[in-house]
Amino acid sequence: MSTAPNPGAACIMVLGTGGTIAGTGASAASPLDYRAGVLPVTQLLSSIPSMASLPVRAEQLAQIDSKDMSAAVWRSLATRCAELLTQPQVRGIVVTHGTDTVEETAFLLHQLLAADKPVVLTCAMRPATDLGSDGPQNLADAIAVANTPGAAGVLLVCSGRIHDAVHASKVHHYRLDAFDSGDAGPVGFVEDGRVRLVRPWRSAGAGGCRLPALLEVAQWPWVEILTSHACATGTAVHLLCAAGVAGIVVAGTGNGSLHAELEAALLHAQALGIRVVRSSRCGAGRVLPGTADRLPASPLNAVKARIALQLELLAAGDDRLGGS
Ligand code: SIN
């Protein structure tokens, strides 16, 4: 679907993928009782009166609850963004998305796209039918960012804050201001439709070079996430190894430390040739590598480290490709 009187004119493209921003509920007063991914993206745009004067076009790419994000949706989103970025008339791209995995999608796009124009993901913590619906404001803010001269890179806009794709993560399950950029802080703010930067736009990501390789591969490398915790064991690691996992990201305690039993199993997995990466289950900060580390550390949180490892395995032409 597309809305534009003149398809050749400069425009912002808005790609809909579902989420609470497109969710509807039975009652305006019960914010938890709703279904995500119902309203078409054109309807989300029509709820923003000032958008009528802006060059905005819309396409529905998917209609899902983002907890169910799949490699297939990621593939089509990355492909469409890459195509649109090459079109001179496209000033920027906005992606409407669920909050639950938007940080993963943003990170993936950052890794895959040569985004010399803005690719702005946005979302909402309340469905469109709720009394306190935050979707229209977030969408208007995202479009304002995408329409800002000089803006570039993959960004996430929510609750008036602009986050970059590397640092953004969902830190609250209910608050409207559910995202944080940790120590890095936000890139800027959107205030009354105007962008105020506090640090430079993050430059384009790792680039389009990885995209063709990714699209050629029918199934992405199977990488799982485990967590270290009190009374942890190595059983899940052994089961994963037997099932053919290609990589394991482990969210360790503190600075990526691991329960001794879990660590022993992970070292065994590594010796078998399975890639193991340590992240931290702490919500902020980054794992500091040590000289005596027997398992490598990632500065990313576990969900982003998982994607980074998938891409690394792909780049290395790893042939142990399982479910994704
Ligand atoms: C989703 O992630 O699609 C549902 C939850 C949300 O958007 O807040």
Side-chain angles (χ1 to χ4, degrees):
M1 114 194 17
S2 173
T3 57
N6 175 2
C11 68
I12 305 286
M13 285 298 304
V14 182
L15 306 178
T17 70
T20 294
I21 193 168
T24 59
S27 147
S30 6
L32 298 180
D33 183 16
Y34 71 97
R35 195 152 72 85
V38 176
L39 300 177
V41 64
T42 44
Q43 198 168 328
L44 306 187
L45 284 167
S46 66
S47 67
I48 309 172
S50 61
M51 291 302 111
S53 60
L54 274 176
V56 174
R57 300 177 66 201
E59 285 177 15
Q60 192 74 47
L61 236 104
Q63 191 61 293
I64 61 167
D65 185 319
S66 80
K67 71 179 175 54
D68 300 322
M69 181 53 70
S70 65
V73 174
W74 270 352
R75 226 180 270 264
S76 65
L77 180 60
T79 305
R80 189 63 183 132
C81 286
E83 286 166 1
L84 290 168
L85 286 169
T86 65
Q87 296 181 9
Q89 76 273 22
V90 173
R91 277 190 213 170
I93 301 169
V94 170
V95 179
T96 58
H97 198 293
T99 62
D100 284 341
T101 59
V102 68
E103 70 190 88
E104 294 172 60
T105 300
F107 182 73
L108 179 79
L109 294 178
H110 169 74
Q111 293 291 310
L112 295 180
L113 300 173
D116 52 357
K117 300 174 194 176
V119 177
V120 188
L121 289 93
T122 194
C123 50
M125 290 297 288
R126 301 287 181 273
T129 47
D130 191 72
L131 270 179
S133 172
D134 51 331
Q137 186 64 59
N138 286 344
L139 181 53
D141 287 351
I143 291 171
V145 172
N147 204 29
T148 298
V154 181
L155 303 155
L156 167 63
V157 168
C158 184
S159 202
R161 298 206 288 169
I162 308 166
H163 303 275
D164 76 59
V166 172
H167 295 102
S169 69
K170 186 172 177 179
V171 296
H172 205 280
H173 67 287
Y174 188 74
R175 240 172 31 203
L176 300 190
D177 192 3
F179 291 86
D180 198 73
S181 290
D183 297 341
V187 175
F189 303 89
V190 189
E191 295 158 339
D192 197 24
R194 283 183 293 265
V195 168
R196 176 167 65 89
L197 280 191
V198 292
R199 57 187 173 90
W201 300 110
R202 178 174 270 274
S203 57
C209 51
R210 283 169 156 164
L211 191 54
L214 190 75
L215 298 177
E216 275 165 23
V217 177
Q219 276 195 306
W220 294 357
W222 178 22
V223 179
E224 285 288 339
I225 299 175
L226 296 175
T227 303
S228 189
H229 51 82
C231 311
T233 72
T235 307
V237 177
H238 297 311
L239 292 171
L240 286 171
C241 293
V245 77
I248 298 173
V249 172
V250 58
T253 37
N255 192 40
S257 55
L258 302 171
H259 188 289
E261 278 192 35
L262 178 59
E263 185 175 35
L266 288 167
L267 286 166
H268 178 70
Q270 186 174 250
L272 294 177
I274 291 158
R275 289 287 309 278
V276 179
V277 170
R278 284 180 307 119
S279 178
S280 174
R281 66 181 212 183
C282 294
R286 49 163 47 198
V287 175
L288 300 173
T291 47
D293 285 352
R294 290 183 296 171
L295 294 167
S298 167
L300 299 165
N301 70 15
V303 292
K304 292 179 185 177
R306 193 192 77 82
I307 293 167
L309 182 52
Q310 273 191 317
L311 295 176
E312 253 185 70
L313 289 168
L314 271 171
D318 196 289
D319 57 359
R320 292 159 304 165
L321 304 178
S324 57

